[in-house]
Amino acid sequence: MAFVIPKETYSGKVYPVTIGTGDNAVTFGGENVLPFNGFEGSTPNKPVIAYEIQDIPPSDWPENVKKPFEAVSGDPVKWAKHCQDTLGARAIALRLTGTHPDRENLSAGDAAKTVKDVLSAISVPLIILGSNHAEKDSQVLVACAEAAKEKNCVIGKAQEANYKTIVAAAMANNHKLIAMSELDINLSKQLNILITQMGFDKERLITDPMSSALGYGLEYTYSVMERIRLAALAQNDATMQPPMVADVGMYVWKIKETQALEADLPMWGDLAKRGVLWEASTAASLLISGAELLIMRHPEAVQAVEKFISEMS
Amino acid sequence: MALTGVEIFKLLPKTNCKKCGHPTCLAFAMKLAQRQASLDACPDVSEDAKKLLGEASAPPVRPITFGAGDKAVKLGEETVLFRHEKKFVNPCAFAVEIKDTSREADVLKTIEDVLGSEIDRVGQKLRVDAILISNASGDPKALESVSRLVSEKAAGVPVIISTTDAGAAVSALGYFKDKRPVLFGANANNIESMAKAAGSFKAILGVTANGLDELISLTEKAKSLGTEDLVVDPGARKAGGIIEQNTIIRRAAIKKNFKSLGYPVITFAQRDDNMLESLIAVAGVAKYSSIIVLSSVTKWKSLALFTLRQNIYTDPQVPMQVEQKIYKIGEPTPESPLMITTNFSLTYFIVSGEVENSRVPSRLAVMDCEGLSVLTAWAAGKFTASKIAQFIKEAGIENEVSHRELIIPGYVAILSGAIEDKLEGWKVTVGPREANAIPAFLKSK
Ligand code: SF4
């Protein structure tokens, strides 16, 4: 009996999302199959990795991921240029950590200035991320969305507690938007619906189902992503069809496995390699479960994942 | 092909005698179709029906025990394509390759690394499970001498002999009698002699092909030779190809009950670049490999892969909660700090991990908030001053600690006054908002 490959034909498709402007704009999403399943459909765009930078020096990053940026991380503009010009970043994710009330408590105006400065120094797309303080983010991101008007940036993250102002700002200034909810497919769906009900085009959305690090809840993110992707493809659920982002670096570089010295835990092996692999393997797992956009920190981890992505087809 | 309930029913005695524990033959047939019953339960089923049904009701991915004794690993038996549907059954095994061209000292070193690879992670013992001895030299003597060394120094560790030379296989397998090794390397040219060699040592046969069509013809050939305990290599070596082939194999087995692909898959992840090798292995762990072959035992690589395997193979049905109680971290004395958080399992893992990081022995009071995180629980009225006060009173903690200081998460700083009002004699201290600030916080106390 001749073997017929059991192919799935899905009725749904992930929206392609383009960010940035001009020659350096990038597009991700657009596929109508599960990740790495190009044999049964089309995967027009490869996943994109954005390098994470901050508006303030990364004093809270562990040594091993601070070091590669030592010479540039004192200044977000230099840092961004380094990622673009030296590391070949296809996109930059600027996290406005310094605006958090418990950190430097920088103002919305400060943040907007940083965004402007960074934008004028780079030509690759910019992802603008708040400090994850719901209240403060709604002021900060509104100012930044305006400062970045017409640059086709990604603004994030809109959450249930603050989405209204952020959505309005992203819409008024023609940006894409990350909608984040906490590890639950229904919450994700609901937030996407609320946002589109405000008139925001669902084809401009990016879903963040919340990332987690390998060993610290990765399986939850993994399965929520698989379920979202299946809902998009098999059930043709339009609210689940925006591409997904995995904000990998910030979750990975705060756990014990990326910081504990080999001298203290000899069974865990070389710390530098371990940290890099932790970020790369978390990222690779989330690519397999459905992420199209990754936000990462360590250059070696990014390189490893790029090699992995190049083996997708 | 999977039979429907009605098709199965036609083959049953139709007496409705209830001996199977089901009210009717049809009810039993329905259970069989859903794989929720075993045909053995019906004592009256005919031999012919047994044969037909046995084929149809066998698990879609053949269960195989690889190795013998307490280090044996079970392979196969999977029932779903996605881990959210149902728990993945048998975690994949990691095997490290030892080439028979290696110097004896290097062979011994790798054996030592395998034996010393075991670590404990959240209560589970994890290790590199197996050794693959490859006949890279093409010389039967070299294969035999490494096999002897492994059988002596790594007794009990499951072994894969990889060669295409059935004669060499026989002398190597001699060292692993009754140990359920895998004989890997059966292809279109040698399958008859390889199946014979495997058969005479009760070894599992590893079939290697260039693509799925060839693989199918090989597994069918093996079956016709009476060899049914197989592991299969469909040939892909790159991430995309591995996921593609593994997906097709798993789908054909589970959704179509296609027997010729219903075997555990072996994946070769070896690369010169250890980092990339690890990511190829990640693809295998996530997407359906049963054995993953690595080029070396490297501690940082093992830790990440063991952790991923554990994550992927956990039971998705188990609620994301931990038990409400006062957890001791380190060896706390009555003076040690007392912190409180909610019972969302991620919150618990992250907070307890950071308390451990701080090396300050502590007590962590974990309060039942129906598995919600701190902020969500607070917003939902489950992590309130009065509930916290009540929990602290009822937990009997006042007998365990000599102080009266409770550290609360920074996110609910707003509760501190209200808790002090409700917990007489207690002082409430506001801890950090994010768990990663806990070590600095505890050390400075
Ligand atoms: S034991 Fe067999 S014959 Fe009796 S009811 Fe069950 S299936 Fe039918």
Side-chain angles (χ1 to χ4, degrees):
Chain A
M1 177 177 65
F3 174 64
V4 183
I5 292 178
K7 288 189 183 170
E8 300 279 357
T9 20
Y10 300 108
S11 47
K13 170 176 169 247
V14 177
Y15 298 122
V17 168
T18 300
I19 61 175
T21 56
D23 292 348
N24 289 320
V26 296
T27 304
F28 48 89
E31 70 275 10
N32 64 354
V33 289
L34 292 175
F36 292 82
N37 282 359
F39 67 95
E40 57 192 358
S42 93
T43 49
N45 303 298
K46 291 204 162 167
V48 171
I49 306 178
Y51 268 96
E52 177 179 347
I53 67 168
Q54 285 192 167
D55 58 341
I56 52 168
S59 56
D60 56 337
W61 291 18
E63 212 39 53
N64 278 314
V65 67
K66 226 191 286 183
K67 223 184 300 154
F69 303 107
E70 223 165 31
V72 294
S73 59
D75 172 4
V77 171
K78 276 195 200 147
W79 194 352
K81 275 190 78 64
H82 172 75
C83 292
Q84 173 186 281
D85 299 338
T86 313
L87 300 173
R90 294 181 65 201
I92 309 269
L94 168 64
R95 198 182 302 278
L96 299 160
T97 311
T99 61
H100 197 288
D102 292 351
R103 298 294 300 271
E104 280 71 352
N105 201 16
L106 299 176
S107 70
D110 297 333
K113 179 168 185 311
T114 305
V115 165
K116 270 211 155 102
D117 293 347
V118 168
L119 273 172
S120 62
I122 61 169
S123 53
V124 296
L126 184 67
I127 298 164
I128 303 167
L129 301 169
S131 64
N132 204 21
H133 183 277
E135 231 169 276
K136 186 71 183 278
D137 278 1
S138 56
Q139 308 162 21
V140 167
L141 293 175
V142 168
C144 293
E146 220 160 273
K149 195 173 175 66
E150 303 304 336
K151 291 284 189 174
N152 196 19
C153 295
V154 179
I155 305 290
K157 303 168 177 178
Q159 307 184 41
E160 201 199 334
N162 65 6
Y163 72 93
K164 284 190 182 147
T165 46
I166 299 174
V167 170
M171 203 157 37
N173 298 288
N174 258 324
H175 296 301
K176 305 298 191 296
L177 179 73
I178 297 176
M180 184 182 99
S181 43
E182 286 187 10
L183 287 178
D184 181 313
I185 183 172
N186 295 316
L187 292 179
S188 244
K189 189 173 155 77
Q190 190 193 338
L191 182 60
N192 286 0
I193 292 174
L194 289 172
I195 289 173
T196 46
Q197 276 172 352
M198 286 181 63
F200 195 89
D201 184 356
K202 58 184 181 301
E203 301 188 24
R204 302 176 66 86
L205 262 182
I206 298 161
T207 302
D208 181 355
M210 198 164 121
S211 282
S212 13
L214 173 61
Y216 294 80
L218 177 73
E219 68 273 30
Y220 299 128
T221 303
Y222 184 94
S223 282
V224 172
M225 281 191 169
E226 280 199 331
R227 291 180 62 199
I228 288 179
R229 199 40 82 242
L230 284 167
L233 300 176
Q235 291 152 33
N236 199 6
D237 179 344
T239 62
M240 301 271 72
Q241 286 169 346
M244 288 187 281
V245 59
D247 195 354
V248 173
M250 67 173 279
Y251 289 95
V252 165
W253 293 102
K254 65 178 186 191
I255 60 162
K256 193 171 169 183
E257 280 77 354
T258 56
Q259 303 180 43
L261 296 174
E262 186 176 7
D264 293 333
L265 287 161
M267 282 308 290
W268 284 12
D270 185 89
L271 171 60
K273 291 273 180 19
R274 193 198 317 139
V276 168
L277 179 57
W278 222 264
E279 183 171 32
S281 54
T282 301
S285 306
L286 295 179
L287 281 177
I288 294 170
S289 64
E292 285 92 354
L293 174 63
L294 300 170
I295 299 173
M296 297 178 65
R297 289 182 180 173
H298 202 294
E300 287 172 38
V302 173
Q303 279 157 19
V305 176
E306 292 281 11
K307 284 187 206 156
F308 183 74
I309 291 173
S310 75
E311 293 196 8
M312 277 185 99
S313 51
Chain B
M1 293 292 153
L3 296 180
T4 64
V6 175
E7 285 165 332
I8 296 173
F9 170 68
K10 288 184 185 149
L11 299 166
L12 293 177
K14 303 198 194 70
T15 55
N16 297 336
C17 73
K18 300 191 176 61
K19 282 185 245 171
C20 58
H22 295 275
T24 61
C25 294
L26 182 61
F28 181 59
M30 292 300 173
K31 288 285 172 201
L32 282 177
Q34 293 161 18
R35 303 181 197 287
Q36 289 171 357
S38 154
L39 188 61
D40 312 336
C42 171
D44 302 328
V45 68
S46 73
E47 281 308 314
D48 278 359
K50 232 186 232 170
K51 194 156 171 282
L52 276 167
L53 286 170
E55 291 259 292
S57 64
V61 183
R62 190 176 174 85
I64 287 175
T65 302
F66 167 34
D70 56 2
K71 290 190 169 161
V73 283
K74 285 176 139 188
L75 311 173
E77 273 186 293
E78 299 301 334
T79 58
V80 294
L81 280 152
F82 299 101
R83 63 175 297 283
H84 63 261
E85 298 172 306
K86 202 159 175 260
K87 185 177 187 290
F88 284 176
V89 183
N90 289 318
C92 55
F94 295 114
V96 64
E97 177 181 17
I98 298 181
K99 294 194 169 105
D100 68 358
T101 46
S102 313
R103 290 177 307 135
E104 180 166 325
D106 294 334
V107 174
L108 291 172
K109 169 79 174 62
T110 307
I111 290 173
E112 207 177 288
D113 289 345
V114 170
L115 296 176
S117 66
E118 186 168 287
I119 56 167
D120 203 315
R121 194 174 184 283
V122 279
Q124 283 182 24
K125 295 221 181 301
L126 310 164
R127 60 173 171 260
V128 172
D129 308 272
I131 292 174
L132 176 139
I133 307 168
S134 66
N135 191 196
S137 66
D139 172 9
K141 290 233 160 51
L143 182 68
E144 187 181 341
S145 83
V146 175
S147 298
R148 181 178 41 77
L149 211 53
V150 169
S151 72
E152 286 166 4
K153 305 285 182 193
V157 176
V159 162
I160 304 167
I161 302 290
S162 173
T163 179
T164 49
D165 175 349
V170 169
S171 39
L173 287 172
Y175 294 98
F176 305 101
K177 272 194 194 111
D178 305 317
K179 298 284 195 273
R180 291 287 286 161
V182 174
L183 169 57
F184 181 85
N187 58 33
N189 302 322
N190 66 10
I191 186 155
E192 272 151 25
S193 54
M194 291 287 276
K196 193 155 166 260
S200 54
F201 291 93
K202 296 200 184 68
I204 300 150
L205 186 65
V207 170
T208 176
N210 209 335
L212 295 168
D213 286 326
E214 192 190 356
L215 182 63
I216 292 164
S217 70
L218 286 172
T219 62
E220 286 173 356
K221 177 85 190 189
K223 192 173 173 192
S224 74
L225 295 167
T227 310
E228 289 196 75
D229 282 345
L230 304 176
V231 297
V232 300
D233 161 31
R237 296 291 180 267
K238 290 192 163 187
I242 290 168
I243 293 180
E244 171 179 331
Q245 290 188 330
N246 285 8
T247 300
I248 294 171
I249 290 173
R250 175 72 69 89
R251 216 188 258 166
I254 285 171
K255 295 184 92 172
K256 306 286 178 194
N257 206 12
F258 185 71
K259 289 297 170 200
S260 306
L261 288 177
Y263 300 99
V265 175
I266 180 168
T267 296
F268 293 84
Q270 306 103 304
R271 293 293 175 97
D272 292 335
D273 173 350
N274 220 355
M275 198 63 71
L276 185 58
E277 169 171 320
S278 308
L279 299 188
I280 305 297
V282 162
V285 174
K287 289 293 165 187
Y288 320 137
S289 299
S290 285
I291 300 176
I292 298 172
V293 184
L294 305 169
S295 65
S296 65
V297 180
T298 310
K299 286 173 179 167
W300 48 270
K301 179 169 77 176
S302 298
L303 185 70
L305 292 176
F306 293 168
T307 306
L308 180 68
R309 175 174 64 182
Q310 201 174 35
N311 282 175
I312 295 291
Y313 281 85
T314 51
D315 190 342
Q317 319 287 352
V318 171
M320 294 162 56
Q321 305 183 11
V322 293
E323 193 194 335
Q324 160 167 310
K325 69 174 196 190
I326 313 266
Y327 291 82
K328 290 183 181 168
I329 299 171
E331 285 174 15
T333 63
E335 289 80 39
S336 298
L338 171 67
M339 316 180 73
I340 187 164
T341 191
T342 67
N343 74 330
F344 178 41
S345 61
L346 277 183
T347 302
Y348 167 75
F349 284 132
I350 292 170
V351 171
S352 61
E354 294 293 355
V355 175
E356 235 173 75
N357 270 350
S358 76
R359 295 166 189 274
V360 177
S362 304
R363 286 183 179 77
L364 180 61
V366 172
M367 186 172 138
D368 182 3
C369 297
E370 294 168 29
L372 298 177
S373 66
V374 168
L375 266 184
T376 335
W378 171 71
K382 298 188 196 305
F383 197 54
T384 61
S386 46
K387 288 188 174 155
I388 291 172
Q390 188 188 355
F391 170 51
I392 291 296
K393 277 185 202 148
E394 288 172 3
I397 187 69
E398 301 196 326
N399 307 323
E400 263 187 62
V401 296
S402 56
H403 61 80
R404 292 289 177 266
E405 181 189 13
L406 178 64
I407 301 164
I408 64 171
Y411 277 113
V412 291
I414 194 168
L415 295 179
S416 63
I419 299 174
E420 281 182 353
D421 289 347
K422 296 195 166 70
L423 261 186
E424 217 174 303
W426 282 74
K427 171 172 176 280
V428 171
T429 300
V430 176
R433 300 168 76 102
E434 294 292 343
N436 60 2
I438 289 174
F441 172 83
L442 284 177
K443 278 184 210 152
S444 69
K445 274 192 74 69

